[in-house]
Amino acid sequence: MNSDNLRERLYDYIRIADEKKVKAIYTMLEDTITGELEWWNDKTILDEFQNRYEDWDSGKTRGYTMSEIYEEISRLKKKKNSK
C-alpha cells in the first residue's frame, strides 16, 4: 500500500476514532510531531543557521536584499512564461 493510501486510511480512522484512541495515537507520535514542528530546538538546524550567518557576516558569502530577491523572482517568472 502506498503512502497516499496509508495517509487516507489513517485520516479516516482518526476522524471516527474515540477520544481515548486518538490520545493514544498522539502520545505514540508526540515526540516526532513536536520535534518536527519545533525546529528552533533542533541543534543541527541551529548550527546550520549559525554557520550561514557567520559566513555572511564575515563576507565569505553574499546576502541579498528583498528588492534583489523580488527582481530575480520576476525575471524567472518572465523566463518561464516566455517558453
Side-chain angles (χ1 to χ4, degrees):
M1 187 178 304
N2 69 30
S3 60
D4 288 339
N5 290 0
L6 291 172
R7 281 186 184 92
E8 188 174 332
R9 291 187 73 183
L10 284 168
Y11 174 75
D12 289 342
Y13 179 76
I14 289 171
R15 282 187 319 136
I16 61 171
D18 63 52
E19 186 176 338
K20 186 176 178 181
K21 289 179 183 175
V22 171
K23 286 182 179 181
I25 293 168
Y26 183 81
T27 300
M28 287 181 355
L29 300 172
E30 184 174 15
D31 289 343
T32 302
I33 293 168
T34 307
E36 289 175 3
L37 296 177
E38 295 180 357
W39 57 265
W40 53 87
N41 290 326
D42 185 327
K43 181 167 175 22
T44 304
I45 292 174
L46 295 179
D47 288 345
E48 179 65 20
F49 284 156
Q50 186 64 36
N51 290 337
R52 288 181 183 211
Y53 172 77
E54 288 170 1
D55 287 348
W56 169 80
D57 193 41
S58 70
K60 187 176 178 181
T61 59
R62 182 180 186 277
Y64 299 89
T65 65
M66 289 306 295
S67 62
E68 290 172 320
I69 293 169
Y70 291 135
E71 287 173 16
E72 180 66 9
I73 291 169
S74 178
R75 186 187 70 74
L76 290 171
K77 283 182 178 179
K78 287 177 185 173
K79 180 179 175 182
K80 180 181 174 184
N81 291 334
S82 67
K83 288 183 178 182

